[in-house]
Amino acid sequence: MNILLRGYIDRNFGDDLMLRLAADGLKNHTAQLDVPKDMAEHYKKLGFNIYGGGDYNAECTVAGSWFVIRSKTGLLYRTKEIISQKRRRTKKAILGCNISDFTVPGAETLIRRHIAAYDFITVRDSFSYDYIKKNIPSVKCEYYPDIAFSLPDSMIYDTPREGALGITAYCGLGGGNEAVYEKLAYVTDRFIEKTGKKVLLFAFDLGLENDLKAAENIALLCKNKEQTEIITNTGDDILKNLPRCARLIAVRLHGVILALRMGIPVIPAAYSNKINRVLNDLNYDGPILDLRGFRAEEAAELAVSFNSVYALPVDVPELAAMHMKRFLQELAD
């Protein structure tokens, strides 16, 4: 069966990983990824077959924060997408998504219409499931943990741990970025001075949000910049280097998820409700920092001393694989 695979295409590690796991789940079919020409080379290196035109039997969109509208221009774009989606007669599913906060007038109504245009939906938190069941009851919707929790053991590298601190840099706060960079630089310096170990700055997004810029700014503000190392979303570099960390301050949601999956002590720094909702579903009881208001001193103390490994429920990886299994079952009906 020919399946068009779609997603958030921006060289974002979390979204790329979700798509890789989805493509693996579709390996018994012909799955091709729909990408712009200027992005094709990056996704070819990740092993994707790139869509070059032609007919397909179904569309499978794999994306987390897919239902987000941030501006009036976004309202227009979303309207065009809904119209285009309705014109395409194939079966359509979106997997692993979540409902985000509605910050633009009219966004909630439009998002509901967009959700209603799908034949099958899976979400990654119970809040999103409850919202859809209450407000768009006609849609077939199911909830499973984030797809990235299904990361197989074969993709977890046996890289020796070095006692390093990992920080997932983030460039998405607009005017609040500089203050966050300064705090994280403070945390970096305190960790290096107290432990003598390195700090790895992970740049998950190399596209519009440009986490590389954030990582470079944090390193530039550090007194001990020679003890910092920037890891970018190139190939498997992030997966290879995460195991070097004794703990991780994770701003990116998929940094949190991979740390939990790999047994790395993690200190989430939440910039939106999506992180809190995923952790609430897991009954996570560790520290959670508010990215917009955390105290640098508190984060620095946690960076040096926090060693608690969260015991991920044993059924979570299997449940996370259900997004793809259920899509294939729906496709067969």
Side-chain angles (χ1 to χ4, degrees), residues 222-246:
C222 290
K223 299 174 185 176
N224 303 283
K225 56 179 64 66
E226 71 284 351
Q227 282 289 90
T228 66
E229 183 178 342
I230 295 175
I231 310 295
T232 63
N233 176 26
T234 304
D236 268 7
D237 283 355
I238 288 176
L239 288 173
K240 288 177 182 176
N241 285 282
L242 276 172
R244 296 170 60 190
C245 301

Side-chain angles (χ1 to χ4, degrees), residues 167-182:
I167 298 176
T168 65
Y170 180 66
C171 192
L173 285 180
N177 281 331
E178 289 301 326
V180 172
Y181 299 159
E182 290 175 3

Side-chain angles (χ1 to χ4, degrees), residues 117-129:
Y118 286 95
D119 300 293
F120 180 62
I121 292 179
T122 65
V123 295
R124 63 184 177 187
D125 62 58
S126 60
F127 172 88
S128 299
Y129 175 79

Side-chain angles (χ1 to χ4, degrees), residues 61-321:
T61 300
V62 180
S65 300
W66 189 250
F67 298 114
V68 175
I69 297 177
R70 296 189 175 95
S71 65
K72 291 182 179 179
T73 302
L75 293 171
L76 179 60
Y77 171 83
R78 185 71 55 159
T79 301
K80 290 180 178 179
E81 171 63 19
I82 294 169
I83 294 170
S84 174
Q85 185 165 313
K86 287 183 177 180
R87 286 174 178 169
R88 302 191 300 270
R89 299 296 183 183
T90 53
K91 195 166 187 176
K92 301 171 190 69
I94 180 164
L95 309 180
C97 64
N98 62 267
I99 298 296
S100 300
D101 296 332
F102 303 108
T103 58
V104 177
E108 185 169 8
T109 299
L110 202 56
I111 290 298
R112 289 186 187 182
R113 290 177 182 173
H114 195 184
I115 291 171
Y118 286 95
D119 300 293
F120 180 62
I121 292 179
T122 65
V123 295
R124 63 184 177 187
D125 62 58
S126 60
F127 172 88
S128 299
Y129 175 79
D130 292 340
Y131 178 90
I132 291 174
K133 298 303 286 185
K134 177 182 177 181
N135 296 288
I136 318 130
S138 62
V139 173
K140 190 166 190 177
C141 176
E142 298 176 8
Y143 153 60
Y144 305 104
D146 190 283
I147 291 172
F149 279 120
S150 69
L151 184 78
D153 291 343
S154 61
M155 290 182 69
I156 299 177
Y157 285 81
D158 192 23
T159 311
R161 290 201 180 181
E162 299 175 9
L165 170 68
I167 298 176
T168 65
Y170 180 66
C171 192
L173 285 180
N177 281 331
E178 289 301 326
V180 172
Y181 299 159
E182 290 175 3
K183 291 179 184 180
L184 291 177
Y186 175 89
V187 172
T188 298
D189 279 327
R190 296 292 80 74
F191 178 84
I192 292 169
E193 290 161 5
K194 289 188 177 183
T195 69
K197 304 290 185 179
K198 297 187 74 169
V199 174
L200 310 184
L201 300 169
F202 292 91
F204 274 41
D205 189 295
L206 300 182
L208 291 174
E209 291 186 342
N210 194 4
D211 290 344
L212 179 57
K213 177 183 176 182
E216 290 172 343
N217 274 300
I218 293 168
L220 189 64
L221 291 167
C222 290
K223 299 174 185 176
N224 303 283
K225 56 179 64 66
E226 71 284 351
Q227 282 289 90
T228 66
E229 183 178 342
I230 295 175
I231 310 295
T232 63
N233 176 26
T234 304
D236 268 7
D237 283 355
I238 288 176
L239 288 173
K240 288 177 182 176
N241 285 282
L242 276 172
R244 296 170 60 190
C245 301
R247 59 194 61 85
L248 180 73
I249 296 178
V251 181
R252 286 287 183 182
L253 171 62
H254 284 101
V256 175
I257 288 170
L258 287 180
L260 296 176
R261 175 70 179 89
M262 295 179 179
I264 299 170
V266 61
I267 305 149
Y271 67 90
S272 75
N273 284 329
K274 69 180 181 181
I275 290 178
N276 293 310
R277 288 166 182 165
V278 167
L279 292 174
N280 285 341
D281 287 340
L282 293 171
N283 294 316
Y284 175 83
D285 59 358
I288 302 176
L289 302 175
D290 177 354
L291 186 62
R292 289 176 172 81
F294 74 94
R295 292 189 306 106
E297 295 81 4
E298 176 191 6
E301 179 60 32
L302 288 169
V304 172
S305 62
F306 184 70
N307 289 311
S308 178
V309 177
Y310 171 79
L312 188 69
V314 293
D315 61 343
V316 166
E318 184 177 351
L319 287 171

Side-chain angles (χ1 to χ4, degrees), residues 12-28:
N12 178 290
F13 172 74
D15 290 279
D16 290 355
L17 180 60
M18 290 171 68
L19 285 166
R20 288 174 67 183
L21 294 170
D24 184 65
L26 298 172
K27 59 189 173 186
N28 293 328

